Amino acid sequence: MTETAITEVESWIPGGGLSRSETMHELSNPWSGQPSLKIAPAGAEGIEAAVAFAKNAFGENLGATVAQRSQWLNAAADAIEARIDSLVEMSISHIGKPRRAAEFETKRSAAFVRACARQIHDFGGEVLPLDSAPAGKDLFGFTRRVPYGVVAAITPFNAPANLLVQKVAPALVTGNAVIIKPCLEGSAIAIEIARAFEEAGLPESLLSVVTGHREEARLLAEHEDVALVTLTGGTKAGEALAKAAGAKPFVGELGGNSPNIVCADANIEDAVARITPSAFEASGQQCISTQRILVEEPVFESFLEKFETAASKMKVGDPRDRDTDLGPVVSSEAADRIEAMIEEARTAGARILGGPQREGCTIRPTIIVNPERDARVVREEIFGPVAVVIKVRDLDDALAVANDSEFGLQGSCFTSSLETAFRVSNELRVGSLWINEEAVSDSTTIPSAGWARADTAVKACATPWKSAPSGSSRACAFPGTPESLLKQLLP
C-alpha cells in the first residue's frame, strides 16, 4: 500500500500571525489507516485574532458594490476550478471519499459560487404601503437587504468543499465577513478554498479559517462580535452551539432520517434504481441520505428482493478507484458506532441483509428489515451505509411511521398517483419532498428549510442561502413539467 503523506495544517488568518500550538490533532487516512493530517488548534488566541480582523475588514468593505462582490465570486470560482485536482486528492486521502464523488462535489462547489454571483443581481427589497394606517398618510416606506457583519461558518466532513461554499459564498456576496471553522478532516480543504478567494482579489480578512475542534466552535459561536452562526453538523453539536450563540441568529442544517415511501402503485424498478444510491453512496454519510424505506405490503417482497440485488452490485473499495461507489466511513470510531447499531437491531430480531461486512473503516451496504419501531436504527440518524426497510399496511400507516420522528429534513414518495403525491406533500413533515426521486436530491435554487417538533430543540433547518423568508417551509419537487401535470389532472 502506498505510504500516505502527512499534511500539517494551522489556522489561516490573513493579517495576523499566531504562535503555533504545541498540541496537535492527528488523523489517519480512513482507507489505509496511515497518518494523514496533523492540525494545530486555533485556541482562544486564534479566535480572538480572526474575529478582530474580520470585524475590521467588514467595516472597511461595507461600500463594496454588488458588481464588485459578484466579480470576486466569479474569480473565486475560476480559482477553485484550477484547484480541482488537489481538492479531490485531499478529499480522498483525508476523508476517504471515492474519486468520482469527490470530483462531482468539487465541480459543483465552483458552480454554486457562480450561482451566488448571478443571483445577487436579483436581490431587492419591497415598497411598503405605510398609508394602510391613518398615521402613515403621505409617508413612503421600503425595505432593503443588509449584511449581518461577521458570520461564523462551521462545516462538516462529508462534503468539505460544497457545504463550505454554501455558507461562504452567500455570506460574502451579500457583504458579510466570514470565519470558517471546518471539521478536522476538512481543514486542509477549507484553507485551500480560502486561498482561492484570496487569489480572486477578496480583500484581506473578509475570509479566514480557524482550525480546531469543539472548543474552537464554541468560542466562535459565543463571541460577542460574531453576528450570526451557521452550522452543518450533528444535532447534538447544533444544540450545544445554539446555546453558546445565545440570542444571535443561528442557522443549523442538522441531523436527518429521511423517509422514502414506496406505494403499491409505484414503478418498483425505478424506485429501487433511485433509492439505492441515495441510501449507500458517500457510505450513507449525508444528512439527506435515505435511511427509512416504508414499503406498502403488496409490493414489499418485490421491492426488497430488487433492492438487495441492487445494493449487492455496488462496488466497495479503494476510494482512489474511479469505479468505486462506496469507500470507507470517516473513522474507525464511526465504523464502530454503525456496526454496534446494526448488531443491536439484529439481537432484537431484525433481519439483516448484505452485511455488516467490515474491513477497517469500510462497511458494505447493509439492509435492516422490519426492526422494532423504537429501535435506534429507526429513531436515530445512522450516518452510515445502512438502510432500514419497513413493511407498512397502506399510505396512512406509511405517513404515521414517517412522521414519528424528531427529524424532518428531506423525504420522498414513489407513486403513480398525482392524488397521492399531493396528499403526501401536505402531510409528510419534511422540509423538502421529492416525488419519484431520491431524497438525496438537492438543488441550488429550491428552498430546503427543515421541520422540527415544537417540543424539541431544532433538528433541521436550512443554510442561509436556501432558508425561507420566515419560519419553516416545505419545498416539493415533481417530475415532468407543469403541462404534463395538468394532463394528469384533466379528464
Side-chain angles (χ1 to χ4, degrees):
M1 185 174 290
T2 304
E3 186 174 345
T4 305
I6 300 176
T7 301
E8 294 193 1
V9 179
E10 59 185 1
S11 296
W12 189 82
I13 306 174
L18 293 176
S19 58
R20 179 117 182 206
S21 171
E22 294 182 3
T23 302
M24 301 284 280
H25 296 290
E26 297 187 5
L27 286 82
S28 297
N29 179 316
W31 170 251
S32 69
Q34 297 177 356
S36 62
L37 270 175
K38 288 186 177 181
I39 302 158
E45 179 190 1
I47 299 299
E48 286 295 334
V51 174
F53 283 113
K55 181 181 178 181
N56 185 61
F58 170 70
E60 289 181 346
N61 291 280
L62 269 175
T65 64
V66 167
Q68 178 62 76
R69 286 183 256 132
S70 177
Q71 182 178 329
W72 289 333
L73 261 66
N74 278 317
D78 290 341
I80 291 170
E81 286 176 339
R83 290 166 164 79
I84 283 178
D85 289 346
S86 63
L87 289 168
V88 167
E89 292 303 322
M90 289 181 198
S91 190
I92 293 169
S93 62
H94 300 167
I95 296 160
K97 194 161 195 173
R99 182 175 300 280
R100 195 172 66 245
E103 289 177 351
F104 175 83
E105 182 209 341
T106 309
K107 291 175 182 177
R108 185 180 174 196
S109 301
F112 182 84
V113 174
R114 291 194 200 284
C116 292
R118 290 193 304 269
Q119 193 163 351
I120 190 61
H121 296 288
D122 296 328
F123 263 33
E126 59 180 326
V127 175
L128 303 175
L130 297 186
D131 61 357
S132 59
K137 186 176 185 299
D138 297 327
L139 296 179
F140 171 80
F142 68 94
T143 63
R144 61 190 298 264
R145 297 173 185 262
V146 295
Y148 282 98
V150 178
V151 171
I154 301 165
T155 60
F157 75 84
N158 54 332
N162 189 50
L163 291 178
L164 183 149
V165 300
Q166 284 190 14
K167 299 182 184 303
V168 169
L172 288 176
V173 83
T174 50
N176 298 280
V178 183
I179 301 172
I180 306 166
K181 206 302 289 180
C183 61
L184 292 172
E185 297 86 353
S187 298
I189 292 172
I191 289 172
E192 191 67 17
I193 290 175
R195 287 177 174 147
F197 277 90
E198 179 187 52
E199 183 180 299
L202 188 74
E204 186 176 87
S205 297
L206 274 184
L207 181 62
S208 56
V209 181
V210 291
T211 52
H213 202 30
R214 295 184 182 91
E215 179 66 6
E216 283 72 20
R218 182 188 64 80
L219 290 169
L220 194 57
E222 69 183 15
H223 199 289
E224 63 181 1
D225 289 329
V226 169
L228 179 144
V229 178
T230 172
L231 161 76
T232 298
T235 299
K236 289 183 179 179
E239 291 171 340
L241 289 176
K243 183 177 180 180
K248 69 185 63 167
F250 176 85
V251 183
E253 185 181 16
L254 309 178
N257 188 341
S258 293
N260 279 218
I261 297 173
V262 180
C263 298
D265 62 1
N267 181 325
I268 300 302
E269 288 78 10
D270 182 67
V272 167
R274 296 178 186 279
I275 290 173
T276 303
S278 169
F280 302 121
E281 283 186 352
S283 294
Q285 297 174 119
Q286 301 181 94
C287 59
I288 53 178
S289 292
T290 296
Q291 181 170 320
R292 294 174 295 154
I293 307 169
L294 314 174
V295 186
E296 287 194 82
E297 190 170 1
V299 294
F300 180 82
E301 292 300 335
S302 174
F303 174 88
L304 185 61
E305 179 184 356
K306 291 178 172 60
F307 185 48
E308 182 183 11
T309 299
S312 69
K313 292 180 179 179
M314 300 191 80
K315 182 174 181 179
V316 181
D318 190 338
R320 295 170 296 185
D321 187 340
R322 187 174 296 279
D323 294 330
T324 294
D325 296 309
L326 280 80
V329 296
V330 71
S331 67
S332 58
E333 292 80 8
D336 290 343
R337 176 187 54 78
I338 295 163
E339 192 173 36
M341 292 180 77
I342 296 169
E343 289 306 314
E344 185 178 301
R346 185 200 303 273
T347 301
R351 182 180 167 199
I352 310 295
L353 302 177
Q357 298 177 29
R358 177 181 172 184
E359 183 176 348
C361 294
T362 304
I363 298 176
R364 296 193 65 83
T366 303
I367 301 169
I368 302 177
V369 184
N370 286 327
E372 296 293 326
R373 299 286 175 92
D374 61 351
R376 288 177 63 206
V377 292
V378 177
R379 309 297 303 177
E380 300 178 14
E381 182 179 34
I382 302 172
F383 220 64
V386 181
V388 177
V389 183
I390 299 172
K391 183 190 296 185
V392 293
R393 295 186 305 275
D394 50 27
L395 184 58
D396 289 339
D397 192 23
L399 285 167
V401 175
N403 288 333
D404 184 20
S405 174
E406 62 183 11
F407 299 97
L409 194 57
Q410 290 211 33
S412 288
C413 178
F414 292 83
T415 178
S416 61
S417 166
L418 196 58
E419 180 181 359
T420 296
F422 276 108
R423 180 186 170 191
V424 173
S425 74
N426 287 327
E427 298 184 25
L428 186 58
R429 293 194 290 263
V430 293
S432 297
L433 171 67
W434 299 85
I435 303 298
N436 294 329
E437 188 59 85
E438 67 268 25
V440 77
S441 291
D442 193 10
S443 171
T444 299
T445 54
I446 194 168
S448 62
W451 180 92
R453 288 186 185 276
D455 59 348
T456 66
V458 172
K459 297 299 179 184
C461 55
T463 50
W465 192 256
K466 299 180 177 182
S467 57
S470 63
S472 184
S473 70
R474 179 172 296 133
C476 301
F478 286 77
T481 63
E483 292 78 10
S484 65
L485 290 174
L486 283 173
K487 288 180 182 178
Q488 296 182 57
L489 289 170
L490 296 174

